[in-house]
Amino acid sequence: MTTNRIIPSLLLRDKRLVKGVRFADYRDAGAPVTTCRAHSAQGADEISVVDIDASRLSREPDFETLQAVSRDVQVPLTFSGGIDGVSRARRAMEYGADKIGINSTALERPALIEELAHVFGAQAVVLGVDFVRRNGKILLYDHRSGKALETPGFAEWLRAATERGAGEIRLVAVDREGTREGLDTEAWQEARALTGVPIILEGGAGNLNQVAEAMKAGVDSVSLGTLLVFSDNNLLKVRRFLEGAGLPMRP
Amino acid sequence: MNVTIVDYGAGNLGSVHQAFWTAGAEPETTSNPEKIASAERIVLPGVGAAGAALEQIRSRGLDKAMDAARHKGTPILGICLGLQMMAEEIDEYGIHRGLGWMKGKVSRIPETASVHVPHMGWTRIETTERAGGLIGASDRDRHFYFCHSNRLHLDEGVAAATVSHGETFTVAVRFGNVFAVQFHPEKSQLAGQKLIKQFLAWSPQGA
């Protein structure tokens, strides 16, 4: 069987890693190359690196840092941020990405999903879906404007994106990001019912029990930020803990 | 050891190049047919849509170059889409004629409520005697990273490994001087490095 995945989520700004709370108040979180090297060596199942400013500032993604970190990463690397077409995606692949993450560029121009899937295959296209809850209801969130979106709706977008060729969904609970309040397992379940592709859940994991709880509730892939950055946890410890909780992790 | 990585305009070329370099080889990524035809060892990497990849391979004359290498015994490693393209036919966004190096067809993995497609993540493989000398024996050596929506249906007995994802299907083949895998050794950490080193040491004549 396929084992559960733990995926460090690393946010890139001005050649450094940063970590914030609810997409704001970013603090320095270390050097990209050494951090990625450690996560890879300690058995991350994948690594996600997001250039968080590229789309917002309409500039080219930081391919230089991507190339520098990929040299020491022996697990799959997803690179996101500012990928607006096949040519930037191809450059990302040449510079060491294995999968391409897209988010606001796809919301702006949904045909981008198809364009990438037809060149790189659906399995290489990871759609980032940022969401917030308003009166319990899940709404998409646009990180560029900092606002929840009325359209498209969450279900509509997930179905349409899968149909167009998104091969994986990275679901990020913006309200919980960096808060340590726990993962929004219910949002993952809701998404699970809408699409047949793998779904990664991110946002809110503050301790290992919360991760184990989410996994026991069926969430097979979890992305971790704060838990790995601002605590004494590392992936060896995380993996050992989850294995001890009876969850299927790779040896 | 010189290793020639075939560039057909898609594929995670950076990662494949890096993994072979880490394993101690001298990799070169190229779309030059002459370099491919005269290579010491060839890697046909994955990550791409079959139609676009095959079109690029044919329009650049890489199919003929690889055929020339294959017939003179050059060891060839196919990865992911690299394996799939060796089949006779691939059904992905339409039906495409493959390179036809082995008898078999490629089509989409059936999706169910509990079997998600793409098949994404680390899965343990089961090997056959054809994997001997190329894939390690320990539990850790057999967990590889997968990232694919389509799988191979073989019509000849060249399977070297299988995996169970809903149904059981072939994820490695070996015939003549060709070894190909559905998973990604270049991204499978220690297990992957081990496989790459074993491919670099492989002499198919003795197989």
Side-chain angles (χ1 to χ4, degrees), chain B:
Chain B
M1 171 76 62
N2 292 308
V3 172
T4 303
I5 300 166
V6 180
D7 174 6
Y8 50 85
N12 57 341
L13 296 169
S15 289
V16 175
H17 192 276
Q18 186 60 39
F20 275 84
W21 187 84
T22 304
E26 300 275 342
E28 183 185 17
T29 302
T30 183
S31 55
N32 179 335
E34 282 153 35
K35 284 187 175 175
I36 291 164
S38 62
E40 259 185 76
R41 261 161 222 260
I42 293 174
V43 179
L44 181 59
V47 188
L54 283 160
E55 194 186 307
Q56 284 298 315
I57 284 176
R58 291 194 170 109
S59 71
R60 296 176 189 195
L62 307 180
D63 52 338
K64 292 190 178 68
M66 286 190 287
D67 252 338
R70 190 164 64 95
H71 290 305
K72 69 176 188 193
T74 311
I76 302 177
L77 174 66
I79 299 174
C80 194
L81 181 63
L83 168 138
Q84 296 180 3
M85 289 191 295
M86 294 173 188
E88 295 164 300
E89 198 178 283
I90 299 110
D91 184 356
E92 182 187 21
Y93 302 123
I95 307 245
H96 307 281
R97 183 171 55 86
L99 298 171
W101 295 1
M102 60 184 174
K103 292 193 176 111
K105 291 186 169 68
V106 172
S107 58
R108 193 171 163 83
I109 301 167
E111 189 177 305
T112 69
S114 61
V115 176
H116 308 307
V117 181
H119 168 213
M120 188 90 70
W122 299 74
T123 312
R124 190 186 199 281
I125 62 166
E126 300 301 328
T127 56
T128 74
E129 70 284 357
R130 279 187 178 257
L134 287 162
I135 299 172
S138 77
D139 193 37
R140 181 183 264 195
D141 286 344
R142 291 179 174 201
H143 277 81
F144 288 99
Y145 182 77
F146 286 85
C147 180
H148 64 121
S149 307
N150 301 293
R151 85 318 195 192
L152 172 67
H153 261 303
L154 271 178
D155 292 320
E156 60 175 326
V158 296
T162 60
V163 87
S164 176
H165 182 67
E167 57 178 43
T168 298
F169 49 82
T170 300
V171 293
V173 295
R174 199 201 77 198
F175 50 92
N177 44 311
V178 177
F179 177 49
V181 295
Q182 178 61 68
F183 46 84
H184 289 274
E186 80 281 12
K187 287 278 121 178
S188 293
Q189 226 193 347
L190 301 175
Q193 275 292 306
K194 193 159 180 176
L195 183 146
I196 289 171
K197 284 178 183 154
Q198 287 179 321
F199 168 71
L200 292 171
W202 182 42
S203 57
Q205 296 87 336

Side-chain angles (χ1 to χ4, degrees), chain A residues 1 6 21 61 90 98 105 119 121 142 158 166 191 210 225 245:
Chain A
M1 72 177 295
I6 291 289
V21 177
R90 185 171 283 137
D98 301 289
T105 48
V119 175
D142 186 341
L158 256 60
Q210 290 167 342

Side-chain angles (χ1 to χ4, degrees), chain A residues 50 56 90 123 135 146 151 241:
Chain A
V50 184
R56 194 173 52 82
R90 185 171 283 137
Q123 86 294 329
N135 303 317
T151 56
F241 181 90

Side-chain angles (χ1 to χ4, degrees), chain A residues 2 25 38 54 91 101 123 130 141 143 153 162 165 181 190 201 240:
Chain A
T2 301
D25 303 325
R91 273 184 74 191
Q123 86 294 329
D130 298 335
Y141 174 89
H143 70 89
T162 307
E181 285 167 9
E190 201 169 321
L201 182 61
R240 210 177 307 131

